[in-house]
């Protein structure tokens, strides 16, 4: 079992599969194999036999690439040891030892069916076989195959990269055993962390059916109406809650050479009357771009490129008519163009483009109900998670207004789908008695389906008001005597207002609840302290206020640690600086697998000031794997904090000792709050707060050793003079300052050293320069 699967939560449930076979070790196959290994399940990875001394070279090479990939395919490099490689020619018989077979070979029907026939001869009867095809319907894949094979066959369509893209489309056929669908849905949800959307057996399924249509329309209409690639990506981007890559940036990302293949596949599979055919033509300049190696980011560039001639680095865009490149230009949208409704109403060429492209796209999505899915929420989730849209098509139509959208379609000469007519002036989503409902094709509302065991804070919000709230945070009752505290500032950063509402929440929980969970359903748990406010106070020379904030944060975090009830922190996404420190003060952590946690203050010329240094020392000292003596934990904590190290997964956070052995990891983001709540309830019976710790300082000798190491880095040019200053203060805190090895320090004394160091550093010009640089660029200043 890998680190990702240790210690509780839905991510730690026993797998129904003892071994899985993945056939095809390309980018997708290797990524799927890695994610299954991340779940702690052994994998047999097969590919074609290679020429030369190593017949497994293709599969072996794929794993080697996955280990070096950035972003990383493995949550823990040790998970790669769960993958055994082989060849289709020599090792297909080993499929008999596998409980699930995933086919991820080239998108050719003849090759897939040839493999299926061979698989059917060696697999155990009843073993499910699934394909990762992105476009070929299931009916075509099983055509001519034995009925017994069709009963065990389904489609599991992962999105790239499989570790990070949460969407998984599952398609069953009329003969598919429903038990296979249920088993794979549960495993992919709980163990692989996927949001499973049930799709119907149609070309492109859900996300690719709508997404490829959207891209085809956007590109074709851009040429027709004479827009630049920069204008297209500005319009079909943030105003509609679509990533800033827009359309042409996305095509560069996925690969321009894939466009003709996708278009050819979709046009060959879709019925004659499908609206896709009206926009399926290839852009005139694409064949030459591909021939010249301009296939996108994986090639020399694409619709955008970076020109490095003359030693510079200039972003350029292609002219959609001439194919010539020129420096990219910033596009200013009309004042009303900051959201979908405003931009669609803009009376200029950009508004006209938005109306045509998004009118066609959203109308197409509405016309596909119930062809591709019975649930509009399934379609919305597919586009949100498969193409990273902030809102799916029907949520977007709700923002515009269904009646207004119908009028827009008529104005543009686009047929109004029956579902839009059915909606009339109603919304597609509305809350009924605090429960989210969606409009069906029959015109009736029904509850939005939720998988069993999922608890969403957004659903809690619908049912009532918070117990306590301010503009900076809120306390919610999530049932069974458990409260949930969430931060609500931008990027969930800490400031005085957050500490104030957290302090009130702790007092309220003491009297009214059994336990507390610290959680947010925002993308990032917390980006740490609000550096903008710190910079403002420093510029005003209000250093006393900063000192008060540090002391206040220490007081509140320690009151959290020693509260008479259990506290569980449930981070997901970024948990940096103060966001890391609050998790360190909880009794337990239930982290989402994709948690990026670390004490990063040294990156802006500061040190952790809210108890993070002491808490990490305690974790390392308590770990049985840490060598005895005062220096080993000090050395490891010093290296971690001084380098502003951030975990690349929750599994790595465990190796960094931020997560302890009793802490849990949840693979599915939607299950994190429920898992954290369950963990909190498990701690309630017989709970007593932790005892006050004692620290054993490494003394002057330990401090000297740390400073000598940093001085060596300075001489090598790895560290700057200010790095040496910061590291000196950090060494003072971790070794006990002027105290020697015969003494013991209280927690309050260690906190006092943190306060002193933070206060001294925040007054220095280099630190203020680093804070300003971080605010402007989002990156630490090292020189």
């Amino acid at each position: 079992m890998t680190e990702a699967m240790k210690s509780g939560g839905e991510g730690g449930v026993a797998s129904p599969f003892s071994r899985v076979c993945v056939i095809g070790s390309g980018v997708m196959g290797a990524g799927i194999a890695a994610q299954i290994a991340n779940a702690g399940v052994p994998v047999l990875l097969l590919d074609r036999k290679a020429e030369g001394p190593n017949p497994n070279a293709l599969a072996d090479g794929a794993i080697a690439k996955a280990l070096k990939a950035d972003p990383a395919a493995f949550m823990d490099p040790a998970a790669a040891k769960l993958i055994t490689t082989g060849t289709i020619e020599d090792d297909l018989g080993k499929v008999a030892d596998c409980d699930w077979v995933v086919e991820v070979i080239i998108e050719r029907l003849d090759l897939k069916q040839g493999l299926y026939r061979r698989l059917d001869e060696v697999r155990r009867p009843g073993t499910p076989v699934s394909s990762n095809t992105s476009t070929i319907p299931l009916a075509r894949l099983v055509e001519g195959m034995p009925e017994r094979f069709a009963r065990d066959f389904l489609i599991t369509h992962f999105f790239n990269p499989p570790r990070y893209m949460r969407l998984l489309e599952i398609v069953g056929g009329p003969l598919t055993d429903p038990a296979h669908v249920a088993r794979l849905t549960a495993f992919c949800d709980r163990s692989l962390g996927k949001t499973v959307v049930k799709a119907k057996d149609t070309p492109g399924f859900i996300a690719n059916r709508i997404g490829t249509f959207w891209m085809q329309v956007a590109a074709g209409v851009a040429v027709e109406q004479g827009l630049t690639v920069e204008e297209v990506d500005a319009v079909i981007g943030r105003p509609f809650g679509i990533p800033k890559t827009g359309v042409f940036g996305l095509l560069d990302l996925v690969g321009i050479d894939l466009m003709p293949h996708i278009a050819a596949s979709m046009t060959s599979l879709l019925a004659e009357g499908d609206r896709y055919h009206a926009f399926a033509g290839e852009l005139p300049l694409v064949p030459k771009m591909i021939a010249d190696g301009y296939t996108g980011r994986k090639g020399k560039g694409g619709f955008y490129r970076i020109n490095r001639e003359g030693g510079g680095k200039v972003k350029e865009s292609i002219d959609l008519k001439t194919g010539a490149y020129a420096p990219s230009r910033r596009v200013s949208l009309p004042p009303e163009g900051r959201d979908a409704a405003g931009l669609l109403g803009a009376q200029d060429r950009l508004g006209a483009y938005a109306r045509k492209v998004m009118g066609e796209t959203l109308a197409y999505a509405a016309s596909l109900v119930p062809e591709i899915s019975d649930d509009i929420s399934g379609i919305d989730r597919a586009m949100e998670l498969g193409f990273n849209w902030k809102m799916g098509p029907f949520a977007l139509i709700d923002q515009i207004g269904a009646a207004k959208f119908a009028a827009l379609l008529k104005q543009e000469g686009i047929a109004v789908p029956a579902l839009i007519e059915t909606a009339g002036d109603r919304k597609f989503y509305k809350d009924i008695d605090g429960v989210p409902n969606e409009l069906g094709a029959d015109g009736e509302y029904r509850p939005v389906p939720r998988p069993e065991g999922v608890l969403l804070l957004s659903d809690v919000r619908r049912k009532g008001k918070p117990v306590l709230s301010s503009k900076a945070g809120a306390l919610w009752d999530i049932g069974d005597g458990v409260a949930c505290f969430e931060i609500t500032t931008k990027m969930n950063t800490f400031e005085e207002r957050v500490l104030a509402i957290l302090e009130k929440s702790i007092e309220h929980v003491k009297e009214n609840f059994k336990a507390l969970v610290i959680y947010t359903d925002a993308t990032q748990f917390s980006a740490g302290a609000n550096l903008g406010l710190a910079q403002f106070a420093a510029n005003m020379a209000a250093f006393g206020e900063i000192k008060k904030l540090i002391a206040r944060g220490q007081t509140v975090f320690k009151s959290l640690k020693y509260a008479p009830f259990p506290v569980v922190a449930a981070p997901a996404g970024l948990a940096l600086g103060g966001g890391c420190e609050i998790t360190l003060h909880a009794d337990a952590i239930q982290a989402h697998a994709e948690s990026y946690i670390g004490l990063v203050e040294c990156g802006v010329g500061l040190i952790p000031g809210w108890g993070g240094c002491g808490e990490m020392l305690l974790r390392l000292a308590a770990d049985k794997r840490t060598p005895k003596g005062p220096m080993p934990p000090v050395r490891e904590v010093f290296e971690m904090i001084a380098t502003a190290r951030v975990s690349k997964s929750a599994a790595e956070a465990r190796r960094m000792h931020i997560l302890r052995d009793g802490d849990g990891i949840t693979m599915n983001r939607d299950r994190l709050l429920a898992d954290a709540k369950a963990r909190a309830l498990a701690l309630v019976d017989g709970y007593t707060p932790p005892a006050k710790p004692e620290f054993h300082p490494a003394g002057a000798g330990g401090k000297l050793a740390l400073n000598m190491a940093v001085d060596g880095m300075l001489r090598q040019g790895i560290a700057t003079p200010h790095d040496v200053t910061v590291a000196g203060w950090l060494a003072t805190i971790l070794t006990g300052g002027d105290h020697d090895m015969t003494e013991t320090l209280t927690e309050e004394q260690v906190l006092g050293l943190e306060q002193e160091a933070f206060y001294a550093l925040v007054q220095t010009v280099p630190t203020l320069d680093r804070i300003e640089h971080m605010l402007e660029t989002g990156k630490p200043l090292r020189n």
Side-chain angles (χ1 to χ4, degrees), residues 630-631 634-635 638 696-709 711 727-728 730-743 745 753:
M631 271 309 287
V634 166
R635 195 177 291 114
F638 180 82
H696 301 279
K703 181 178 178 181
L704 178 63
L706 295 179
N707 286 336
M708 285 177 64
D711 285 339
L730 180 59
T732 297
I733 297 166
L734 298 179
T735 59
D738 296 329
H739 299 271
D740 62 41
M741 296 176 66
T742 63
E743 300 178 75
L745 296 181
L753 291 172

Side-chain angles (χ1 to χ4, degrees), residues 115-138:
L115 175 62
Y116 299 160
R117 291 187 184 92
R118 295 180 62 190
L119 274 174
D120 201 32
E121 295 174 357
V122 297
R123 71 187 179 102
R124 289 198 314 270
T127 302
V129 177
S130 69
S131 174
N132 187 62
T133 181
S134 58
T135 57
I136 305 174
L138 184 148

Side-chain angles (χ1 to χ4, degrees), residues 358-571:
M358 295 309 292
E360 290 279 4
T361 300
L362 300 182
Y364 188 61
S367 74
L368 296 175
V369 179
E371 179 187 342
I372 61 173
S373 174
D374 291 322
D375 304 320
I376 63 169
S377 58
I379 293 175
D380 276 358
R381 288 297 273 164
M383 292 308 296
E384 289 161 8
L385 298 178
F387 279 79
N388 287 324
W389 288 17
K390 187 175 181 180
M391 294 176 286
F394 297 97
L396 265 171
I397 294 172
D398 272 355
Q399 188 185 69
I400 299 162
K404 288 182 179 178
F405 182 64
L408 180 152
L409 295 181
K410 291 174 184 176
Q411 173 189 327
E412 293 296 315
I414 301 169
V416 180
L419 187 58
I420 303 293
E421 296 279 16
T422 299
D425 59 359
R426 295 180 294 169
K427 286 186 171 292
F428 281 103
Y429 295 101
K430 77 171 185 176
D431 292 345
I432 299 176
D433 298 327
V435 176
N437 277 246
E438 61 181 312
L439 188 68
D442 59 0
E444 299 296 323
Y445 285 100
R446 56 184 60 87
V448 174
R450 293 275 190 262
E452 184 182 353
V454 166
L455 173 62
L456 302 179
L457 195 55
S458 58
D459 286 348
V460 175
R461 288 193 196 96
R462 289 185 174 94
K463 293 179 180 178
K465 295 180 179 179
V467 177
L468 295 174
S469 67
S470 73
K471 291 183 179 180
L475 185 72
W476 298 90
D477 183 345
I478 58 174
D480 301 312
V482 182
C484 175
F485 177 78
E486 67 163 339
I487 305 171
T488 56
T489 54
K490 185 177 180 181
M491 291 288 287
N492 294 331
T493 53
F494 281 90
E495 53 190 67
E496 165 58 32
R497 296 181 305 161
V498 175
L499 296 174
I501 186 65
L502 176 56
E503 188 172 50
K504 287 181 181 178
S505 296
I506 293 168
E507 292 303 312
H508 191 85
V509 174
K510 282 181 185 178
E511 302 297 327
N512 300 281
F513 290 90
K514 300 176 184 177
L516 175 65
V517 169
I518 300 168
Y519 169 87
T520 176
D521 54 9
T523 304
Q524 313 300 350
F525 180 73
S526 174
N530 187 328
L531 291 177
L533 289 179
Q535 182 192 39
F536 177 77
N539 288 340
M540 298 290 290
F543 296 111
E545 294 302 310
I546 296 176
K547 191 171 186 178
K548 287 180 185 177
L549 181 65
I550 296 304
R552 179 112 157 94
Q554 290 180 346
T555 299
V556 174
F557 280 17
K558 293 306 173 184
S559 67
L560 189 72
K561 177 179 179 178
Y562 297 113
F565 52 81
V567 177
V568 175

Side-chain angles (χ1 to χ4, degrees), residues 1-13 35 38-39 75-76 163 189-193 568-572 588-595 597 647-655 658-669 671-673 675-676 679:
M1 182 172 286
T2 68
E3 293 289 342
M5 294 298 292
K6 287 182 181 177
S7 302
E10 294 290 358
V13 296
Q35 185 65 359
N38 286 336
M75 295 176 181
D76 181 346
R163 172 181 164 184
D189 170 343
R190 295 172 183 267
S191 296
L192 300 189
V568 175
I589 300 173
Q590 185 70 38
H592 181 233
E594 299 300 343
S595 293
I597 315 177
S647 72
K648 293 182 179 179
S649 68
E652 186 176 5
R654 193 191 299 284
R655 292 200 304 276
I658 293 171
L659 270 67
R660 295 162 290 192
D661 284 344
D663 293 328
I665 295 175
T666 298
M667 295 293 278
N668 191 318
R669 180 70 171 81
R671 296 184 178 276
L672 179 58
L673 181 56
D675 286 355
R679 181 77 176 114

Side-chain angles (χ1 to χ4, degrees), residues 617-637 694-699 702 734-735 741:
L617 276 177
L618 293 173
R619 275 165 155 71
L620 265 296
D623 195 298
K624 294 178 181 178
R625 294 164 293 182
T626 305
K628 299 295 183 183
M631 271 309 287
V634 166
R635 195 177 291 114
E636 190 165 340
V637 174
E694 287 185 342
F695 292 83
H696 301 279
L734 298 179
T735 59
M741 296 176 66

